[in-house]
Amino acid sequence: MEGKMLSPHFSRDECACRDGCGFDTPDGALPELAEAVRDILKEPMIVHSVCRCRAHNAAVGGSPTSKHLKGQAMDFHVRGLSPVAVYNAIVKAWHDGRLPGLGGVGLYDWGVHIDVHRATDGHLRVWDLRKRR
């Protein structure tokens, strides 16, 4: 399994597009960011989605400009932590300078989205798309 690892805690298999198309290589900065987030949360992250081909992205209702299309994003949840707690910890860590590679963080009912796509002016892109607020 070691050869299939992208970083100490994230494997190529868990980052692969879920439709089996073979897209399984995220942007090189993403595993590094995910490891930094995991260190801050001090808990394993359950990966929902990283790489998505256009067909799979469309099938799951992803944005046509989704960062998943370039392997630049990770959707995940953490057992025992609410999505709000995870989101707040990530935003705080970015403001404290502990997540310089973070470009965006989104909050959803099912968990959290992180990505490495940086805004041109350097601000952290944030959003809350929970249905139940």
Side-chain angles (χ1 to χ4, degrees):
M1 178 96 162
E2 203 167 300
K4 294 186 174 228
M5 297 303 288
L6 296 166
S7 68
H9 297 101
F10 300 97
S11 72
R12 187 173 301 280
D13 287 346
E14 71 186 322
C15 292
C17 183
R18 301 295 192 229
D19 77 351
C21 69
F23 179 24
D24 66 355
T25 306
D27 182 290
L30 188 66
E32 183 179 329
L33 172 63
E35 289 290 346
V37 168
R38 190 182 192 281
D39 287 347
I40 287 161
L41 299 173
K42 300 186 182 352
E43 295 290 340
M45 296 156 59
I46 314 309
V47 176
H48 296 223
S49 181
V50 175
C51 298
R52 291 186 199 153
C53 65
R54 291 213 173 273
H56 183 64
N57 189 62
V60 298
S63 164
T65 59
S66 171
K67 305 311 175 234
H68 292 280
L69 294 168
K70 295 181 179 178
Q72 295 179 332
M74 177 181 282
D75 294 343
F76 68 95
H77 76 274
V78 177
R79 287 189 185 105
L81 293 177
S82 72
V84 171
V86 171
Y87 174 89
N88 287 341
I90 291 169
V91 170
K92 180 181 184 323
W94 184 85
H95 283 291
D96 292 347
R98 294 182 289 149
L99 290 174
L102 181 67
V105 58
L107 178 59
Y108 297 85
D109 292 317
W110 47 260
V112 173
H113 164 107
I114 56 173
D115 69 57
V116 297
H117 182 78
R118 309 274 301 265
T120 54
D121 68 0
H123 78 274
L124 179 63
R125 300 170 13 266
V126 297
W127 60 93
D128 180 345
L129 291 178
R130 291 174 294 164
K131 293 183 175 100
R132 304 177 299 270
R133 292 188 201 198

